[in-house]
Amino acid sequence: MAQVGNAFDVTTPQDLDERFRAAVGELSPGSADLPDGMPAELVRAVFDAQLTSRHLDLAARWLRSFGEGFYTIGSAGHESNAVVAAALRHTDPAFLHYRSGAFYAARVAQGGGADSVSDTARDVLRGVVASASEPIAGGRHKVFGNAAHHVVPTTSTIASHLPRAVGAAFAIERLRKVNGNGAAGPPWPADALVVCSFGDASVNHATAAAALNTAGWIDHTGLRLPLLLVCEDNGIGISVKSPPGWVEATLRARPGLKYFGAEGDDPAAAYAAAVEAAGHVRRTRRPAVLHLRTVRFMGHAGADAEVAYRPAADLDRDLGRDPVIATARLLVDAGLATPEEVLARYDEVGWQVRKVAEEVLGERKLAGPAEIVATLAPRRPVRVARTVSDLSGLSTADRAAAFGGRLPEEAGPLTLAQTINATLADGLLANPRMAVFGEDVALKGGVYGVTKGLRERFGATRVFDTLLDETSILGLGLGAGLAGMLPVPEIQYLAYLHNAEDQLRGEAATMQFFSGGAYRNPMVVRIAGLAYQEGFGGHFHNDNSVAVLRDIPGLVVAVPARADDAAPLLRTCLASAAVDGSVCVYLEPIALYHTRDLYEDGDNEWLAPYLGPASWADAHVPVGRARVYQVGSAEDLTIITFGNGVRMSLRVAARLVEEGIGARVVDLRWLAPLPVADVIRESSATGRVLVVDETRRSGGVGEGVLAALVDAGYVGSVSRIASVDSFVPLGPAAREVLVAEDAITQGARALLAR
Ligand SMILES: Cc1ncc(C[n+]2csc(CCOP(=O)(O)OP(=O)(O)O)c2C)c(N)n1
Ligand SMILES: [Mg+2]
């Protein structure tokens, strides 16, 4: 053990091991009473979980030492979190911090398997060695996750799991009401609570601040939220100390959150605090935070030399607060075990863990891209189509009631906005677990009236206004989807997606990938976006950038340009979310919401009648299928576009016909996955392609179309009209940067003149 004076300059696995043996050896057996409510069995179970976790950390370092382990962030010093698991039920969904290893071990033991030490070790070490047999992520990441134990995997992005945990707690309460409609129960019992752990530095993250605020806000409105937040406070985030007292001050200051505190090196008191906190949450269905003070051993991760930034005295002090030694002391003080028996158990667990480490290190790793992406976003288009066609049975009487006596198919031609409204209503009617929510969607019915009347017809449980925070809106969707709802959150403007984007990218899109499909977040995120609003808004209401959505693996992005596509595309998204757990973005072109005309004023050509359920099967549009308009001979030119570009291109194509030029206009309809087969076929049909892309030249949709053509070996001519790499300015200047009809016309002529 390296020593400076009587302090350590770095804590190694050997230090921890030697220190444990020495400290236990010095204990003298006693006959003290166990604290009230803490039976001997429970202390033993907590101790076993702590030992398992400690030895897993040591094993991870051992595996790393010869290149067979790929993850060394450990739980050593945090093992007091085992008492939190002990205070909860096996069926309480848990979203865990990466140092909640002892919680995980205790949870596995609660599951009642024959050998919980080996079972835990196998789960965790398969993650460490990236084994394809790892039970939840299949070697895609080292996570704590196991559906059989109701542990939902979390990502490494600090605090990003908190909004989802809020959403899951919200949904558990919401589903109690929905179940009154006869729907199946949620995956968790109705009296479950959600537990979510995180570190002390994480408290400061915007995402954590959002979740803590949202939990308090929900409570303040009188709604119930059975959420137990657990801050595992080791006083430091990598190398940056949390200012003394800050974490407690900020957690205590949160309106709506009841604060409980506990010291990790006092297992009896920590357990009592956890029981009290959990009891409060379960009984009152109101959120609470348990501030569990821990220590951190062996640095942040394997390669972290703490000595560079932590005074030796700090490390020494932490070693005096080892939670595993504290539980050993409790056992010995109470006469439940002699020091020798404690050490014997320590070694026995150590051998079991090491044995599993040796077993798993040679296991097969993921092989090849196909296996790796197999769990990313599985799609079953036939089932999706069948789900849509099954809706033909929707009762006319129910629909008449839901639509206030006037069915939308009898209302004459509708706008894009009216069609989306009617489709959402039919969706809400068809699926009692579907919920529509966001800023201003309920009482007001949306900034553009798209959700008008839905709250009146379906009630505030199904259609509701949220607080103004996009991170929390998406988080509610993530948690609600996990809990078995079909969430349809709205992001009011595309520009405001960006500050919350990680909830889509890091959380939603990764869930099936990191959980082998055991957990899914079916979700259809409606986003109002794209440019060309006449006389309104500037950049933030006319954002024309979707680059941030285009490269998220597995994400579905639909853009309906007109009413008769809006309904089938939305139904497909809803069905795909329900059937395959797809994460879908339904991007609504604001400028086309209320557009009525196509070629000339009053022609009403941009409207379309709404089709009743009997026609939905025929009208079904699978994910990734484009729409083709043949204009004139349709032989001279292929225009590939989407959104506002469809209307502009159709207008241009109509004028080109007068010049004797026949064009086919391809509406991509899906920006992800791109309808590559349709694009190639329609491009090859004319050999001349004009990409009309209202998003930016850099990172815009057009880049993807051009790349698809090149990849497919397309050999014809091709050119691109795209918007300028700029933010969209206010007023008429917007036209200077956006794709305009003149530019499309010139682009077409230039292409034909080549
Ligand atoms: C959003 C984000 N930023 C940065 C990181 C890199 N990082 C990983 S752990 C960590 C410190 C976290 O400290 P704390 O919340 O106290 O947890 P601890 O590791 O101490 O248990 C940082 C900065 C990250 N994972 N996510
Ligand atoms: Mg910390």
Side-chain angles (χ1 to χ4, degrees), residues 114 230 306 308:
V230 180
E306 290 185 287

Side-chain angles (χ1 to χ4, degrees), residues 200-541:
D200 52 296
S202 306
V203 162
N204 305 300
H205 200 280
T207 315
L212 295 172
N213 181 69
T214 299
W217 186 92
I218 290 172
D219 183 71
H220 188 80
T221 65
L223 293 170
R224 302 288 72 128
L225 193 76
L227 174 66
L228 178 61
L229 297 160
V230 180
C231 179
E232 298 188 10
D233 179 2
N234 57 23
I236 199 164
I238 303 188
S239 66
V240 180
K241 275 188 169 184
S242 288
W246 167 247
V247 175
E248 177 167 348
T250 190
L251 291 178
R252 277 190 187 277
R254 297 285 169 183
L257 286 189
K258 193 166 165 66
Y259 176 92
F260 297 85
E263 297 298 330
D265 60 348
D266 185 346
Y271 177 66
V275 167
E276 205 191 337
H280 170 82
V281 174
R282 197 177 312 277
R283 203 172 51 252
T284 63
R285 321 302 289 164
R286 300 180 70 174
V289 58
L290 174 62
H291 181 190
L292 184 61
R293 274 172 283 262
T294 67
V295 290
R296 187 190 78 185
F297 296 143
M298 299 193 290
H300 176 73
D304 177 31
E306 290 185 287
V307 65
Y309 57 82
R310 287 189 82 186
D314 281 12
L315 302 178
D316 195 26
R317 193 197 55 229
D318 277 6
L319 281 165
R321 300 185 54 212
D322 186 333
V324 190
I325 295 177
T327 309
R329 188 176 299 118
L330 186 66
L331 282 166
V332 175
D333 283 354
L336 294 174
T338 62
E340 294 71 32
E341 285 167 341
V342 166
L343 287 176
R345 183 65 189 149
Y346 175 78
D347 282 332
E348 193 179 322
V349 171
W351 279 114
Q352 275 177 268
V353 168
R354 183 64 74 91
K355 180 167 172 281
V356 172
E358 288 181 25
E359 278 166 20
V360 302
L361 67 83
E363 285 184 355
R364 193 180 72 82
K365 313 289 190 243
L366 289 166
E371 186 183 8
I372 291 165
V373 301
T375 66
L376 180 60
R379 296 206 204 295
R380 291 170 293 181
V382 176
R383 277 197 210 191
V384 171
R386 199 184 318 133
T387 301
V388 170
S389 60
D390 285 351
L391 295 174
S392 63
L394 269 186
S395 133
T396 309
D398 288 351
R399 291 187 71 238
F403 283 103
R406 188 158 182 248
L407 291 174
E409 53 268 39
E410 292 161 3
L414 303 183
T415 60
L416 177 70
Q418 291 165 331
T419 305
I420 295 171
N421 181 280
T423 313
L424 287 172
D426 267 323
L428 284 160
L429 186 66
N431 187 343
R433 291 181 156 226
M434 174 172 154
V436 171
F437 53 91
E439 295 153 14
D440 305 295
V441 302
L443 261 185
K444 183 174 164 67
V447 174
Y448 297 93
V450 176
T451 51
K452 218 174 184 53
L454 296 179
R455 176 178 175 275
E456 287 73 21
R457 286 183 265 153
F458 294 94
T461 310
R462 314 270 315 276
V463 181
F464 53 93
D465 289 320
T466 62
L467 77 179
L468 203 172
D469 178 48
E470 284 73 15
T471 297
S472 297
I473 292 170
L474 293 175
L476 285 176
L478 293 171
L482 269 192
M485 293 177 65
L486 178 57
V488 183
E490 176 186 294
I491 299 293
Q492 200 164 71
Y493 287 98
L494 178 57
Y496 307 133
L497 167 70
H498 302 303
N499 62 46
E501 191 244 337
D502 179 58
Q503 291 294 303
L504 272 187
R505 174 181 298 269
E507 288 294 310
T510 61
M511 182 49 90
Q512 294 208 66
F513 188 66
F514 291 138
S515 76
Y519 292 104
R520 319 183 318 171
N521 19 241
M523 185 155 77
V524 180
V525 186
R526 294 181 41 249
I527 307 178
L530 302 174
Y532 300 103
Q533 282 188 81
E534 283 299 325
F536 180 67
H539 171 74
F540 297 96
H541 304 93

Side-chain angles (χ1 to χ4, degrees), residues 45 80 158 210 313 404 432 439 662 721:
S80 47
I158 283 304
E439 295 153 14
I721 312 286

Side-chain angles (χ1 to χ4, degrees), residues 515-597:
S515 76
Y519 292 104
R520 319 183 318 171
N521 19 241
M523 185 155 77
V524 180
V525 186
R526 294 181 41 249
I527 307 178
L530 302 174
Y532 300 103
Q533 282 188 81
E534 283 299 325
F536 180 67
H539 171 74
F540 297 96
H541 304 93
N542 288 278
D543 189 357
N544 64 336
S545 171
V546 297
V548 82
L549 297 171
R550 283 188 53 228
D551 78 332
I552 299 181
L555 192 78
V556 172
V557 183
V559 182
R562 58 194 301 171
D564 51 2
D565 279 325
L569 294 194
L570 183 51
R571 278 195 295 269
T572 299
C573 287
L574 292 171
S576 181
V579 169
D580 289 328
S582 304
V583 184
C584 303
V585 167
Y586 185 79
L587 180 60
E588 303 168 7
I590 300 172
L592 297 173
Y593 269 151
H594 307 304
T595 300
R596 306 181 71 85
D597 305 324

